[in-house]
Amino acid sequence: MSETKQLTLPVTGMTCANCVATVERNLKKLDGVQVASVNLSSERASVEFDAGKLGLPEIIARVERAGYGVATGEADLVIQRLADDNDARRLEKALSKLEGVLEATVTYAGEKARVSYVPTIITQAEIRRAVSGAGFEALELGGDAEDAEAAARQHEIDTQRHLLMVGLLFTIPLFLLSMGKDFGLLPAFVYDEAHGGMGMLEAQWWFNWVLLALATPVQFYVGWQYYVGAYKSLRNGSANMDVLIAMGSSAAYFYSLPITFGWMSGHVYLETAAVIITLIKLGKFLEARAKGRTSEAIKKLMGLRAKTARIIRDGVESEVPVDDVRVGDVVLVRPGEKIPVDGVVVEGKSAVDESMLTGESLPIQKQPGDALIGATINKQGLLKFEATKVGRETALAQIVRLVEEAQGSKAPIQKLADQVSAIFVPIVIVIAALTFAGWYFIGPPVPINADTSNFTRALINMVAVLVIACPCALGLATPTAVMVGTGKGAELGILFRSSEALERAGKVSVVVLDKTGTITKGQPAVTDILVGTASLDENELLRLAASVEKGSEHPLGEAIWAEATTRGLKLSEPDGFAAEAGHGVEAEVAGRRVAVGNLRLMQKRGYPMGGLETELERLQAEAKTAMLVAVDGQVAGIIAVADTIKEGSPEAIADLRRQGLKVIMLTGDNRKTAEAIARQVGVDEVIAEVMPEGKSAEVKHLQEKASVVAMVGDGVNDAPALAQADVGLAIGTGTDVAMAAAPITLMSGDLRGVARAILLSRKTLGTIKQNLFWAFFYNVLLIPAAVMGWLDPMLAAGAMAFSSVFVVSNSLRLRGVNIGTG
């Protein structure tokens, strides 16, 4: 019976949508692969396959054969309790059988194991547990486990930076020397006196050898990956930008060789070849650096979890790495410490700050039987709890996995440049070949006394077509604009996680705002205190109510307690505290019977309202939760609590509407409260009473109406909705989970950043389109000129260089754009 498995692989070396298609196509060719989905933004491939027909090594080999890599990690472990070499062989065999382990080597003499593994499939903690399961003990070398995937990404960026530096080192002097020669700016000894009186200066024979010495390292060291990429692309039955880069630079370089060797006369185009490679390398470096940051938010989120845990086994308390905690362990957490894994309280009471996971700003009271979530913070008392979920099963890990899957299910945006280049590359190659054939076989014959021949003329015109068609500007159009746009965004407190987010945000038509923590502060606070009796003042009424609420676990009660504490009021200990679910609380404070609750509680007790009915209705109409305070059998006042609106929220929503966007508020609150908030801030529509798990469905419903939807939120329950939206924006004051889910993060927490982000995206998208237009304009205008023989390769190279300079300069203009507040 066949077994279907699903694996996620971290793929390296992808630069464009064409790469995604190539990897997917190659994976689907494997016998046994059922589904293959590649995500450019997260640089991961998700593969479902029949485990009876193939395994992980074959899948990795296929990715590598397509011209890409798979990020792997190496674990170096010290192994204890190895009795002899047979133990080493047995452990090696056990490790090799683990899913995700590529190679395992165990040496008895050195008591060490080296394991090569895929970090998205298995972790070092799981490898160590397998060692323990085999009867041995593993100690990790070098402290904390290395993030193998991040290390592989960084290595890719470092490689691109190194090649770029080498390219610049040789290309700049090469370009200056070549231009200096052509414009007669070099010292006289460089030029051949025999040709000095002619209209065109000719360099000494050795000068071209100097240029060749500078150009060759660029061509075959800096540009080697383009040759490899072009070869693998052609082998896979496609033609990507590497093919055109390799052909364009090679045509210029190899055409120059016979001139340098003195076999034919004419210009050398060595600087053209070097400039082509170096400018494209700049684009590749910028892309690699931008892509390297796309997964940092999720990695940072995983870094929130505790590194160690204090556990009690067999009555002995010990501190162990969090990865070594097992289900059923009793874990001890002191005040101020992070809760290491998920579990259930068995002893102790405390308040736990879950804001980093739930968005709930108020600490949650915990007592025996209550659930705890890993990575949250114990604020007050000592807690003992039983671990129920560890490793990849914790809520934190599940949230990360949910967000990654939501991101991976959405097809990456196809880059316009790569869409066109899929057709552009083969068309240019055909045009170049036809140009050569036309001039060689059909063109007018070259006079016998001319310095050139039919072949040379045809070759020069073909080279001109290839050089003018070189996609330097095409390669720089998007990444330079994206890099400048993201840099500008960072200055404004807006972090774009990917170029896709930057592009997509400019097309948004509907903005969905989560209410709590986004439009509002997410912190219930006392807004009004009304006294209905002359025997009490405002502070005394608050003091009595807060004294009763001192033992309350309700958020509204905590808001009253917090207000009294802020005012410095001295609270009394309540006696005979009693809580009535859904109604309120009651206790004796300093000899007075005090009740705090809703109208139903007061009516049930038969307490007279003292003429406060009108004020009660007014406060409720303002979407405030009004709590009545009765003292000694009579309602003495009202304390109103509400989630206050953030400063800047009305202005932010007005900014969005001025940009022509429809603004919708999405909340789990009741409709009356939601509509009251909506009136204050001016949104277009309210979607209320939506449970956290239903938010992504509401976003999807809006998308089905042909809207491009942006979702703005701050808590974990927003994470699936943020991932479902076309563009997710996370408020930076919220949780890191939301940041991981959202392609765009507003670091300042200011809602006005949403309008700025969308406006910046529109400006950047406009710049990208301008860049691509000019990049194609040069090609479309000058390719026919090259075909007709009106353009020599040097002029073609000049046009190419100018188009690249224009694109980069146009992108840099974004730095001076005034985004303001929309």
Side-chain angles (χ1 to χ4, degrees):
M1 186 176 175
S2 63
E3 179 190 0
T4 300
K5 286 188 177 180
Q6 194 272 337
L7 294 177
T8 299
L9 302 176
V11 181
T12 60
M14 295 192 298
T15 59
C16 63
N18 202 17
C19 301
V20 170
T22 301
V23 176
E24 282 186 354
R25 188 172 61 251
N26 274 272
L27 287 172
K28 288 174 181 176
K29 286 180 181 178
L30 286 170
D31 183 29
V33 169
Q34 297 160 358
V35 179
S37 175
V38 180
N39 186 297
L40 179 62
S41 180
S42 61
E43 296 184 280
R44 290 186 175 186
S46 179
V47 187
E48 287 184 23
F49 62 98
D50 184 345
K53 292 185 177 180
L54 78 160
L56 179 61
E58 291 89 347
I59 295 173
I60 292 177
R62 191 72 192 195
V63 172
E64 290 174 344
R65 185 176 181 272
Y68 304 92
V70 173
T72 59
E74 284 207 346
D76 288 316
L77 306 171
V78 172
I79 307 297
Q80 295 183 340
R81 301 177 190 164
L82 286 174
D84 53 29
D85 196 55
N86 286 332
D87 276 356
R89 299 287 73 77
R90 181 165 62 84
L91 177 59
E92 193 174 281
K93 189 174 180 180
L95 291 174
S96 298
K97 288 181 178 179
L98 293 174
E99 185 77 75
V101 169
L102 302 176
E103 185 182 0
T105 305
V106 181
T107 58
Y108 168 64
E111 294 188 315
K112 288 182 181 178
R114 169 163 285 191
V115 184
S116 177
Y117 64 100
V118 179
T120 53
I121 300 175
I122 191 169
T123 64
Q124 289 201 18
E126 289 167 330
I127 293 171
R128 290 200 302 276
R129 279 197 284 271
V131 172
S132 299
F136 308 100
E137 187 176 344
L139 303 177
E140 189 179 336
L141 289 175
D144 292 340
E146 180 187 23
D147 186 340
E149 187 178 356
R153 305 286 184 221
Q154 188 57 47
H155 176 71
E156 189 177 355
I157 293 170
D158 292 343
T159 300
Q160 296 291 347
R161 181 189 289 112
H162 169 71
L163 292 173
L164 174 62
M165 292 299 105
V166 173
L168 290 171
L169 182 67
F170 286 95
T171 301
I172 291 173
L174 171 60
F175 183 78
L176 292 176
L177 285 172
S178 182
M179 292 299 102
K181 179 205 75 171
D182 290 342
F183 290 104
L185 302 176
L186 298 178
F189 71 86
V190 172
Y191 301 106
D192 186 347
E193 293 182 5
H195 295 82
M198 301 176 67
M200 186 165 178
L201 291 170
E202 195 69 38
Q204 295 272 17
W205 63 269
W206 53 264
F207 186 80
N208 285 345
W209 285 93
V210 173
L211 299 184
L212 180 64
L214 290 170
T216 300
V218 179
Q219 190 71 30
F220 297 110
Y221 178 68
V222 179
W224 184 247
Q225 76 174 69
Y226 301 127
Y227 287 105
V228 174
Y231 165 71
K232 290 181 176 177
S233 176
L234 293 171
R235 187 182 65 184
N236 288 310
S238 63
N240 63 5
M241 293 177 73
D242 286 342
V243 173
L244 206 52
I245 295 165
M247 288 192 70
S249 61
S250 296
Y253 180 85
F254 288 109
Y255 167 76
S256 303
L257 290 183
I259 300 173
T260 303
F261 299 154
W263 298 341
M264 58 184 281
S265 60
H267 272 82
V268 292
Y269 300 102
L270 295 165
E271 79 287 352
T272 300
V275 166
I276 289 170
I277 288 172
T278 303
L279 281 175
I280 296 295
K281 183 59 65 182
L282 174 62
K284 293 283 186 183
F285 168 67
L286 294 176
E287 287 180 11
R289 195 168 68 168
K291 280 198 308 174
R293 296 174 181 154
T294 57
S295 61
E296 281 182 358
I298 290 176
K299 294 294 184 288
K300 182 181 176 184
L301 171 64
M302 293 304 293
L304 282 178
R305 65 177 190 154
K307 298 290 187 291
T308 60
R310 194 174 286 106
I311 64 172
I312 300 172
R313 285 181 188 161
D314 303 323
V316 179
E317 181 183 324
S318 61
E319 191 168 307
V320 300
V322 71
D323 290 327
D324 291 344
V325 178
R326 298 193 293 262
V327 172
D329 279 342
V330 175
V331 184
L332 193 67
V333 187
R334 294 190 171 97
E337 293 181 342
K338 282 185 180 179
I339 293 166
V341 296
D342 295 1
V344 176
V345 178
V346 295
E347 186 181 318
K349 291 184 178 181
S350 183
V352 175
D353 180 6
E354 297 181 350
S355 61
M356 68 288 298
L357 289 183
T358 64
E360 174 58 59
S361 56
L362 295 173
I364 307 299
Q365 295 295 324
K366 300 291 182 181
Q367 58 187 11
D370 289 343
L372 295 175
I373 305 172
T376 56
I377 299 173
N378 180 25
K379 302 290 283 186
Q380 295 175 355
L382 182 72
L383 286 176
K384 282 185 182 179
F385 72 94
E386 181 182 339
T388 56
K389 291 182 179 179
V390 299
R392 298 189 180 196
E393 301 305 314
T394 62
L396 181 63
Q398 296 276 12
I399 289 163
V400 172
R401 183 148 60 253
L402 174 68
V403 172
E404 285 180 335
E405 286 173 0
Q407 289 176 332
S409 66
K410 200 187 312 183
I413 297 168
Q414 193 82 14
K415 301 287 195 301
L416 177 60
D418 291 299
Q419 281 181 325
V420 175
S421 66
I423 310 166
F424 184 68
V425 173
I427 286 177
V428 167
I429 293 169
V430 169
I431 291 173
L434 291 174
T435 300
F436 179 85
W439 280 101
Y440 187 70
F441 295 109
I442 304 171
V446 175
I448 296 174
N449 60 348
D451 291 336
T452 187
S453 65
N454 282 345
F455 176 83
T456 305
R457 182 181 62 182
L459 184 65
I460 289 172
N461 290 337
M462 183 189 75
V463 169
V465 172
L466 286 169
V467 172
I468 195 63
C470 180
C472 290
L474 199 59
L476 290 169
T478 301
T480 53
V482 167
M483 287 303 294
V484 177
T486 51
K488 179 74 174 178
E491 292 174 10
L492 299 168
I494 303 163
L495 288 183
F496 294 93
R497 297 293 178 189
S498 66
S499 57
E500 285 90 345
L502 189 61
E503 292 175 20
R504 194 69 172 160
K507 301 172 184 176
V508 166
S509 57
V510 174
V511 177
V512 179
L513 303 174
D514 182 58
K515 181 185 79 71
T516 306
T518 302
I519 295 175
T520 64
K521 291 181 179 178
Q523 298 174 332
V526 173
T527 57
D528 303 82
I529 301 177
L530 303 175
V531 182
T533 175
S535 63
L536 294 173
D537 62 13
E538 185 177 291
N539 280 346
E540 181 62 13
L541 182 76
L542 177 63
R543 190 187 74 81
L544 290 172
S547 295
V548 175
E549 295 285 7
K550 195 174 181 182
S552 172
E553 298 176 7
H554 197 281
L556 300 177
E558 289 183 342
I560 292 175
W561 178 83
E563 178 67 20
T565 304
T566 302
R567 295 191 182 194
L569 302 180
K570 187 176 180 181
L571 305 184
S572 303
E573 285 296 324
D575 292 323
F577 177 85
E580 196 165 328
H583 290 78
V585 294
E586 197 170 0
E588 190 170 300
V589 179
R592 309 184 76 171
R593 194 68 190 169
V594 181
V596 183
N598 54 26
L599 182 61
R600 289 192 300 273
L601 178 67
M602 303 304 158
Q603 290 173 339
K604 186 178 179 181
R605 295 282 193 275
Y607 295 157
M609 288 292 295
L612 290 170
E613 292 91 345
T614 304
E615 291 295 332
L616 180 64
E617 290 177 7
R618 177 183 66 81
L619 291 168
Q620 288 178 335
E622 293 174 1
K624 296 173 182 175
T625 302
M627 288 183 288
L628 299 166
V629 182
V631 180
D632 295 331
Q634 180 172 341
V635 177
I638 304 174
I639 299 177
V641 175
D643 190 0
T644 53
I645 292 170
K646 279 184 180 180
E647 290 180 22
S649 287
E651 296 93 327
I653 290 164
D655 288 342
L656 291 167
R657 296 183 69 187
R658 275 197 294 272
Q659 290 186 28
L661 299 164
K662 183 178 181 180
V663 184
I664 298 174
M665 185 173 79
L666 182 65
T667 178
D669 283 351
N670 66 74
R671 179 159 290 279
K672 188 176 179 181
T673 301
E675 287 179 346
I677 295 288
R679 285 193 296 272
Q680 293 177 54
V681 297
V683 298
D684 296 301
E685 186 182 329
V686 175
I687 302 175
E689 299 174 12
V690 181
M691 296 299 288
E693 59 270 20
K695 289 183 178 180
S696 60
E698 290 292 342
V699 171
K700 190 173 183 179
H701 179 65
L702 290 168
Q703 290 171 318
E704 289 169 354
K705 297 178 181 178
S707 299
V708 179
V709 179
M711 174 71 194
V712 186
D714 79 325
V716 166
N717 56 14
D718 303 320
L722 288 169
Q724 173 64 44
D726 297 288
V727 180
L729 297 97
I731 296 291
T733 51
T735 71
D736 280 358
V737 180
M739 293 187 197
I744 303 172
T745 299
L746 307 177
M747 293 183 67
S748 65
D750 188 344
L751 192 58
R752 285 170 288 199
V754 177
R756 296 187 189 120
I758 291 173
L759 182 60
L760 176 60
S761 174
R762 288 177 175 178
K763 297 278 189 185
T764 305
L765 193 57
T767 300
I768 290 170
K769 289 178 177 177
Q770 292 167 11
N771 288 348
L772 291 172
F773 169 77
W774 282 106
F776 289 120
F777 170 78
Y778 285 111
N779 284 306
V780 170
L781 186 68
L782 295 178
I783 285 176
V787 170
M788 297 301 295
W790 300 336
L791 200 63
D792 66 40
M794 181 55 70
L795 185 56
M800 176 276 297
F802 177 75
S803 67
S804 298
V805 170
F806 174 85
V807 164
V808 176
S809 301
N810 192 46
S811 296
L812 291 174
R813 282 176 49 250
L814 274 171
R815 293 192 300 185
V817 170
N818 181 23
I819 301 300
T821 58

